[in-house]
Amino acid sequence: MSLLVVGLSHRSAPVSVLERAALSTDAQNKLVQDTVAAEPATEAAVLATCNRIELYADVDKFHAGVAELSTLLAQHSGVGLEELTPYLYVHYEDRAVHHLFSVACGLDSMVVGEGQILGQIKDSLARAQELHSAGKLLNDLFQQALRVGKRAHSETGIDRAGQSLVTFGLEQLAAGGAVQDWAAGKKALVIGAGSMSSLAAATLARAGVAEVVVANRTFERAERLAQILTDGDDTAAVTARAVEMAAVRHELTRADVVVSCTGATGLVLTAEAVAQAVEGRTGAPAAEITAPAAPADTARTAGKAPLPATGAGGEENCPLDLAAVQPGFSLMGEAAVAGMDAATLEQHAAWAGGGTSRLGRSREPAGGVTDRRDRRTPEADAELITALAATAASVGRIPERRKPEPVAERPAPFVFLLDLAMPRDIDAAVHRLAGVRLVDIESLAEASADAPMAADVDQVRRIVSDEVAAFGAAQRAAHITPTVVALRTMAADVVASEIARLDGRLPDLDERQRGEIRQAVHRVVDKLLHAPTVRVKQLAAEPGGAGYADALRTLFDLDPETVASVSRAVDSTETKDRPA
């Protein structure tokens, strides 16, 4: 077994990187196909969720495998390899098994203990099987991961440690209140009809919303989800209907809660669309909220340099529209260039690389100068902007990020938005609109970082450790089986040859005598081989036992091609007999 996994998740990378590296279904399929076509890999599968992208492969060379898988991830995600590499993690053999089993149990999820990951692992395996990229190793691994995840949820209270990402997101929208109390009587709009959207619709219906409207690019799927809600025993009380995607803007003016989770590569809801919906509800233009700049002495007290002031005419030859710059943003930072097209970003990168008198410094309101050596260097920012330009060239623009400074006071929201898509469906600039509360993957990651761990997590970790050991032992034992079969086949051939020779030398023996001799010789051979073959299987199942198969082949001078043919025959039989 040479299992290798290369990936990135919310634990290793910021959401902005995960968003840019997100893969469409077609891109995932192409990544799998290109991986098995590469020299080091013989099997491959992609596990892609809203907060992780992982490539699993059976490789014959570790270092070449890591290099190839990392390069393929970068190529298909559109994020440069140099930029992506710091966020990648690598697991090999038993550590890779341990990682997937932990993922299946919800230990590595943004919301610890959530069970949705099991469906995503199942989908990943099914896709690899359809592409014929999952052989014996990945089939065994993913099916065992599903069993381990189910065992963890049935034998422990890990479900109490967390909930689905949907439930967690709704709790964040409710801002600490009971979801049922918050949702009661509200009108909900669900954009998308996939598994996450379906779960969101059902959860909202059970929570007590008065109406659920489902919008999807394929209207039939939206109709099917609405019908499921109408027919469900625990959701029948809600009014459910389906609409075309073209009707989303109109439905926004009616909806109190909007949940979006589509596979779109661009924004589904722009800040302008949400602002128009707010205006349609209130009759007045949507107001924007800005955070007041922190006084310089407060910033120094907190041990942080104050944010640089920005304004028209403050930066010579800067291609950024300074009149539209949000207060509190550095002209060098990623947030300042959000929304630019590729051409403008290229100009900004050239300007940033050239440097000005204020690029390495920030001015305090009182006119003093604060050293910014603890912040990003102009060179690093220029490299980042260049990378953003490459991304903008492929997706059209850089989605705007939320302001880094928390808003001190906000009016009570009357429109609630939950964005569970990766890349995001809803423009993060919506966060600045008064009367609107937006929760997305980025804010969920921040909220979940402080979530308490349940005591059952330790029990699940023990289950994972036991299952990893059992899986490794089974794989190592299976590895030696073709060698043992080849040895017994060789012994049977020797017996047959000797019996044939005896028949020629003793032609006067009757059938009973020949049978007794044949049976005696077989018993002798079986007894001689029994103890060694049983013992070698036991030893091979232990860590470091892979060398026993090589020793057995050397001692008995077994033909490697014979062993390989036995292995292929075993794999073919198991594949044919495996249930769909």
Side-chain angles (χ1 to χ4, degrees):
M1 177 182 65
S2 299
L3 177 65
L4 175 66
V5 56
V6 177
L8 66 161
S9 73
H10 65 285
R11 295 186 182 275
S12 69
V15 172
S16 58
V17 174
L18 283 172
E19 185 177 39
R20 292 167 55 203
L23 300 173
S24 66
T25 300
D26 290 341
Q28 293 174 38
N29 293 343
K30 188 65 167 62
L31 173 58
V32 168
Q33 292 169 336
D34 288 353
T35 301
V36 293
E39 183 178 345
T42 57
E43 301 180 33
V46 170
L47 177 58
T49 71
C50 59
N51 52 34
R52 77 177 62 251
I53 305 164
E54 296 177 343
L55 178 56
Y56 290 78
D58 184 7
V59 299
D60 56 7
K61 298 175 183 177
F62 171 73
H63 292 96
V66 172
E68 187 67 31
L69 266 60
S70 301
T71 301
L72 287 169
L73 270 175
Q75 289 176 349
H76 287 272
S77 68
V79 181
L81 182 59
E82 290 186 0
E83 184 182 359
L84 190 64
T85 298
Y87 304 113
L88 293 177
Y89 48 76
V90 175
H91 299 297
Y92 190 55
E93 294 190 331
D94 284 355
R95 291 300 307 169
V97 176
H98 189 282
H99 174 73
L100 181 59
F101 287 4
S102 297
V103 169
C105 293
L107 293 179
D108 198 58
S109 296
M110 186 178 292
V111 181
V112 175
E114 60 95 6
Q116 279 179 278
I117 187 64
L118 288 175
Q120 293 161 333
I121 291 175
K122 184 178 180 181
D123 291 343
S124 176
L125 174 59
R127 186 163 52 248
Q129 290 173 336
E130 290 174 3
L131 296 171
H132 304 290
S133 65
K136 176 174 173 53
L137 176 58
L138 291 187
N139 269 296
D140 290 349
L141 174 69
F142 275 68
Q143 289 176 359
Q144 187 62 26
L146 292 171
R147 287 190 284 268
V148 173
K150 292 175 182 176
R151 179 189 169 192
H153 284 279
S154 64
E155 295 184 11
T156 75
I158 189 67
D159 291 332
R160 294 193 299 268
Q163 58 264 295
S164 72
L165 205 58
V166 169
T167 306
F168 189 58
L170 294 178
E171 288 181 352
Q172 298 304 305
L173 286 180
V179 172
Q180 287 78 5
D181 296 339
W182 164 80
K186 286 184 168 60
K187 296 179 180 179
L189 169 63
V190 176
I191 305 175
S195 57
M196 189 79 80
S197 299
S198 299
L199 178 60
T203 303
L204 285 167
R206 286 192 293 267
V209 296
E211 180 185 46
V212 175
V213 178
V214 183
N216 192 59
R217 295 190 185 281
T218 305
F219 181 68
E220 290 74 16
R221 293 190 67 184
E223 278 189 315
R224 187 161 57 249
L225 177 53
Q227 190 63 46
I228 290 173
L229 294 175
T230 302
D231 296 340
D233 292 337
D234 56 348
T235 59
V238 69
T239 300
R241 58 186 176 88
V243 298
E244 302 279 358
M245 284 294 289
V248 164
R249 287 211 172 202
H250 169 69
E251 294 297 336
L252 276 176
T253 62
R254 303 177 65 256
D256 304 301
V257 184
V258 179
V259 179
S260 186
C261 186
T262 73
T265 56
L267 293 175
V268 175
L269 291 181
T270 63
E272 178 187 9
V274 177
Q276 289 175 352
V278 171
E279 183 175 355
R281 292 177 64 124
T282 63
E288 289 196 11
I289 302 174
T290 58
D297 56 348
T298 303
R300 282 196 300 270
T301 304
K304 299 179 181 179
L307 292 171
T310 55
E315 299 289 348
E316 184 178 359
N317 298 323
C318 175
L320 185 64
D321 180 9
L322 298 180
V325 171
Q326 304 169 35
F329 279 137
S330 164
L331 297 184
M332 293 294 295
E334 179 180 352
V337 299
M340 282 188 180
D341 57 27
T344 309
L345 275 169
E346 291 285 7
Q347 297 174 10
H348 193 278
W351 170 80
T356 70
S357 62
R358 287 180 57 194
L359 292 183
R361 304 178 298 171
S362 63
R363 297 194 178 278
E364 296 181 356
V369 175
T370 302
D371 190 355
R372 296 181 63 205
R373 287 175 295 183
D374 59 332
R375 292 172 174 252
R376 303 182 67 95
T377 64
E379 293 79 9
D381 273 324
E383 291 176 3
L384 174 60
I385 295 169
T386 302
L388 290 172
T391 301
S394 61
V395 301
R397 64 184 287 276
I398 297 298
E400 186 172 358
R401 300 179 65 192
R402 285 202 314 274
K403 292 166 64 65
E405 288 297 305
V407 177
E409 295 183 3
R410 297 181 64 95
F414 53 86
V415 177
F416 300 84
L417 306 175
L418 178 57
D419 184 0
L420 297 174
M422 183 64 71
R424 73 185 72 205
D425 280 348
I426 304 175
D427 194 336
V430 167
H431 178 76
R432 299 198 311 271
L433 297 177
V436 177
R437 175 176 294 156
L438 170 64
V439 171
D440 55 17
I441 294 295
E442 189 171 17
S443 55
L444 287 176
E446 295 169 358
S448 66
D450 299 325
M453 299 283 284
D456 298 275
V457 168
D458 288 337
Q459 186 179 351
V460 174
R461 286 175 175 155
R462 288 192 292 270
I463 288 176
V464 169
S465 296
D466 292 344
E467 291 285 357
V468 169
F471 183 83
Q475 290 294 311
R476 288 187 290 270
H479 178 69
I480 204 170
T481 297
T483 302
V484 172
V485 172
L487 173 61
R488 289 192 173 276
T489 301
M490 183 192 73
D493 291 343
V494 170
V495 169
S497 176
E498 289 302 312
I499 292 296
R501 190 177 68 85
L502 185 64
D503 287 344
R505 300 184 65 175
L506 299 173
D508 297 333
L509 294 175
D510 58 32
E511 272 310 307
R512 186 184 65 79
Q513 292 169 329
R514 292 176 190 279
E516 287 289 341
I517 293 172
R518 190 180 299 111
Q519 190 174 19
V521 174
H522 277 294
R523 278 200 302 267
V524 170
V525 172
D526 287 342
K527 287 183 178 180
L528 286 174
L529 291 181
H530 177 72
T533 53
V534 170
R535 184 61 179 144
V536 78
K537 287 182 179 181
Q538 294 172 343
L539 293 172
E542 297 175 359
Y548 287 101
D550 297 332
L552 204 61
R553 288 193 292 269
T554 301
L555 288 171
F556 288 92
D557 195 24
L558 297 176
D559 183 4
E561 182 56 35
T562 302
V563 176
S565 65
V566 172
S567 180
R568 286 193 294 270
V570 171
D571 289 351
S572 176
T573 301
E574 291 188 357
T575 302
K576 182 179 68 175
D577 296 339
R578 183 176 293 115

